Amino acid sequence: MTTTTAPEIKIFDYDTYAEGDPTTFGLPLEQYRHLRDEEPCYLQEFDDPMLIDRAWVVSRNEDIWEVDRNTELYAADRGYVNIWQVVPIDPKNGGMPAMLTTDGERHRAQRQVLAKGFTPGFVRKLEGKFRQYAKDVVDDALEKGTFNFVHTIAHNMPMEALGDVLGVPQEDRAKFFGWVDKFAAPFDTRITASFDEVMEAIGNLMVYSEELAELKRANPADDVMSRLVASGEGGDPLMSPEEIMGNVALLASGAAESTRTAMSHGMHELMRNPEAMAWVRERKDNIPNTLIQEMVRIASPFTHLVRTATRDHELHGKQVKEGDIVAMLFAAGNFDERAFDRPEVFQPDRIENPHVSFGRGPHKCLGQHVASLEMKILFEELFQRTSSIEPAGPISYVRDAYSRGVYELPVTITPA
Amino acid sequence: MKITVDTNLCEVHGDCVVVAPDFFDIGEDDEVVQVLDAEPGEEHRATVVQAAKMCPVAAIRIEG
Ligand code: HEM
Ligand code: SF4
């Protein structure tokens, strides 16, 4: 029998992720294990004016399912989205309401306005466009030969896809992408020099969303912005002006960076696992969804999200009070032995994969089928047109404890 | 085995369609998921149970 000392818990420190170990997906897996096994409802206190004061952290896969699904006990509409004090879609703290910060009937109503644009069948219609972006991206990469995968391959496709989904005209995309990039890592000074820059980008995006709304009211198209500004049968707008802005901010902050992150961590794992790489190569004409979901699992692009307890209750022996914040540590739930066979192993053919990277309840990622299709097509194109993909230097990570961005992933590719 | 979907709950997340495309589908104009085969054979139990489990709003019931 071995006795192990409890690891120091630093699951919300930037440096834990910035200096993460590439052999454990960049994640503090030992700390996560300790929490799941010994402190499944762990009280995290913060001492930073930019962050909330405290949160109960749940880390087991099953508990995350429960918190995410039980919206009556764990509300999304009582303030805060993650551990940050200020989030543009938090109406309780100066932001605008969006799907992710609304519950009950109003959430359902907002989701219904958009859902049709995100079903698996509708999304399949985007395949042709995505294929073209993937071709352009791989053309550019082949010309370079050696490059940072994050910028050259993983950046453009999710951005263009977001532009398409939302309906951003071609001539506005460069500036739109510029703002979106600013939210990706508000605390990594290599990406955003100061928090003011983030606020400025959000301001610009909000002004732009009103311009785009005007454009789509005048010329509706088959895109999300047109759905957001549409009117119902009685002639009343389906969404308030605040909800329109909130949902644009939600899409801008939730769609592109996350997909880029999943692609980058996924590529890194393939390069670490020659067998997995060969497995994918054999299936390059129709990449299975199991690979994509396994990439999304180990990437855990958002480490956590939070909810608010709506009444006093006990959770794993702890007294959670009404108004307390409860954090769902998705990244820990994705490595829970209670839910996964050998979770620390990257398995491209994993069939039972109850990962929580997209959430698990009524707020479950609306863009999950879009993101999965983007990844499938991009990797198909990349594998079809290369004979090898090799590391050209070590991976490094973005300095952030919420969004698990990859900062640099140098690779060299050889044409097929 | 009989599949029923509570159409008041379904929010077309599409998780069931991904798990069990032979039994669930969402057409372009559908407000809720369509059950393609409400009484699948016993050999499909695992797939159908998995689809029900994955539904984010627990709208799918399996009887029998
Ligand atoms: C790998 C990429 C992505 C990841 C990991 C991801 C993750 C998430 C997570 C964790 C949630 C909250 C789930 C919950 O609270 O239960 C969410 C919600 C959401 N995501 Fe994603 N997302 C990704 C890509 C996208 C894309 C591409 C889009 C849109 C094009 C998108 C749009 C949304 C929206 C609108 C919501 C709010 C849904 C609601 O509150 O009902 N996401 N996403
Ligand atoms: S998973 Fe649930 S909510 Fe989604 S389409 Fe199927 S029944 Fe409807």
Side-chain angles (χ1 to χ4, degrees):
Chain A
M1 201 181 109
T2 53
T3 45
T4 48
T5 45
E8 197 183 343
I9 300 300
K10 292 185 165 183
I11 50 172
F12 291 115
D13 286 18
Y14 311 128
D15 289 333
T16 298
Y17 298 92
E19 288 152 23
D21 177 354
T23 68
T24 59
F25 313 98
L27 290 168
L29 293 186
E30 276 312 306
Q31 295 181 38
Y32 291 166
R33 176 195 302 279
H34 175 80
L35 291 184
R36 287 188 310 261
D37 291 352
E38 309 297 333
E39 301 190 64
C41 180
Y42 169 77
L43 183 63
Q44 172 76 52
E45 305 211 49
F46 298 95
D47 183 17
D48 181 336
M50 301 298 265
L51 305 181
I52 58 175
D53 295 335
R54 61 210 287 271
W56 297 103
V57 181
V58 299
S59 46
R60 290 187 187 166
N61 188 276
E62 190 186 355
D63 292 338
I64 293 170
W65 279 55
E66 164 61 19
V67 171
D68 207 16
R69 287 183 169 205
N70 191 345
T71 53
E72 187 244 324
L73 185 54
Y74 302 103
D77 63 357
R78 298 201 182 184
Y80 307 109
V81 172
N82 54 20
I83 59 170
W84 301 343
Q85 272 290 346
V86 178
V87 177
I89 58 164
D90 177 4
K92 300 278 187 226
N93 294 287
M96 302 286 169
M99 259 173 286
L100 192 51
T101 48
T102 312
D103 280 324
E105 272 314 305
R106 200 55 218 149
H107 172 254
R108 213 177 136 75
Q110 292 186 55
R111 197 138 172 147
Q112 253 162 9
V113 171
L114 292 188
K116 276 194 195 163
F118 289 93
T119 59
F122 185 87
V123 166
R124 240 173 275 128
K125 294 202 298 194
L126 300 171
E127 188 165 336
K129 272 195 159 172
F130 288 4
R131 189 78 56 198
Q132 190 56 50
Y133 297 136
K135 278 205 170 68
D136 294 347
V137 162
V138 176
D139 281 345
D140 176 39
L142 281 168
E143 207 158 290
K144 289 185 173 137
T146 298
F147 49 83
N148 180 358
F149 183 89
V150 186
H151 291 168
T152 300
I153 293 199
H155 179 269
N156 226 39
M157 169 110 174
M159 282 289 189
E160 295 287 357
L162 172 62
D164 283 348
V165 165
L166 208 51
V168 178
Q170 213 56 45
E171 61 274 20
D172 294 341
R173 291 204 179 177
K175 66 179 178 187
F176 178 79
F177 296 167
W179 299 321
V180 171
D181 269 333
K182 289 282 171 204
F183 320 162
F187 301 114
D188 190 325
T189 50
R190 294 171 300 181
I191 296 168
T192 27
S194 71
F195 199 68
D196 291 343
E197 272 189 19
V198 183
M199 297 309 281
E200 194 190 315
I202 293 168
N204 284 332
L205 184 78
M206 293 298 96
V207 172
Y208 178 71
S209 82
E210 295 199 299
E211 280 172 31
L212 189 60
E214 268 318 305
L215 181 78
K216 299 293 173 179
R217 278 190 200 100
N219 303 296
D222 198 3
D223 55 43
V224 162
M225 199 67 200
S226 301
R227 288 173 201 268
L228 282 170
V229 301
S231 297
E233 277 172 18
D236 293 330
L238 295 169
M239 294 226 192
S240 69
E242 292 75 22
E243 285 172 340
I244 295 173
M245 280 199 252
N247 283 308
V248 170
L250 169 65
L251 287 161
S253 56
E257 157 73 4
S258 53
T259 312
R260 176 193 334 169
T261 298
M263 288 175 178
S264 303
H265 284 285
M267 188 71 247
H268 178 245
E269 276 318 299
L270 289 181
M271 292 192 295
R272 278 181 16 87
N273 296 278
E275 264 178 48
M277 182 82 101
W279 187 92
V280 176
R281 226 171 235 302
E282 276 165 31
R283 290 161 180 78
K284 63 181 190 299
D285 294 327
N286 185 9
I287 288 193
N289 191 39
T290 54
L291 170 75
I292 305 304
Q293 297 315 315
E294 183 68 344
M295 288 180 166
V296 174
R297 177 181 78 92
I298 61 92
S300 305
F302 299 115
T303 58
H304 71 283
L305 284 175
V306 308
R307 299 290 194 254
T308 306
T310 59
R311 54 186 146 78
D312 296 0
H313 64 284
E314 196 181 299
L315 187 58
H316 291 299
K318 300 293 167 72
Q319 302 303 319
V320 177
K321 299 268 182 261
E322 178 181 351
D324 283 359
I325 307 271
V326 177
M328 302 177 278
L329 192 55
F330 298 137
N334 282 338
F335 290 88
D336 187 349
E337 301 77 6
R338 295 163 191 79
F340 298 92
D341 164 51
R342 292 180 302 144
E344 70 297 342
V345 181
F346 180 77
Q347 298 178 30
D349 56 350
R350 189 184 287 283
I351 289 174
E352 282 273 308
N353 189 350
H355 74 70
V356 282
S357 294
F358 288 130
R360 262 303 151 206
H363 291 280
K364 186 165 186 199
C365 182
L366 184 62
Q368 61 168 329
H369 308 299
V370 177
S372 302
L373 184 69
E374 284 178 46
M375 292 175 66
K376 172 180 157 69
I377 290 179
L378 189 90
F379 282 104
E380 284 176 0
E381 191 68 23
L382 184 62
F383 276 87
Q384 286 166 16
R385 298 185 47 206
T386 56
S387 59
S388 83
I389 308 168
E390 306 274 348
I395 190 171
S396 65
Y397 304 106
V398 168
R399 188 167 180 269
D400 200 286
Y402 167 61
S403 170
R404 279 236 307 141
V406 174
Y407 187 70
E408 204 175 16
L409 180 64
V411 301
T412 299
I413 60 175
T414 316
Chain B
M1 177 170 48
K2 189 167 183 325
I3 305 175
T4 52
V5 171
D6 184 336
T7 51
N8 292 318
L9 288 178
C10 174
E11 286 178 348
V12 296
H13 283 265
D15 290 70
C16 58
V17 179
V18 173
V19 177
D22 294 341
F23 303 100
F24 300 94
D25 190 30
I26 305 170
E28 210 164 303
D29 290 315
D30 292 344
E31 301 284 338
V32 297
V33 75
Q34 302 298 319
V35 181
L36 300 177
D37 177 359
E39 295 186 29
E42 202 47 39
E43 67 277 21
H44 300 295
R45 182 175 290 275
T47 310
V48 173
V49 167
Q50 183 69 4
K53 185 182 160 203
M54 295 308 262
C55 173
V57 293
I60 303 171
R61 292 264 169 285
I62 294 162
E63 287 150 41

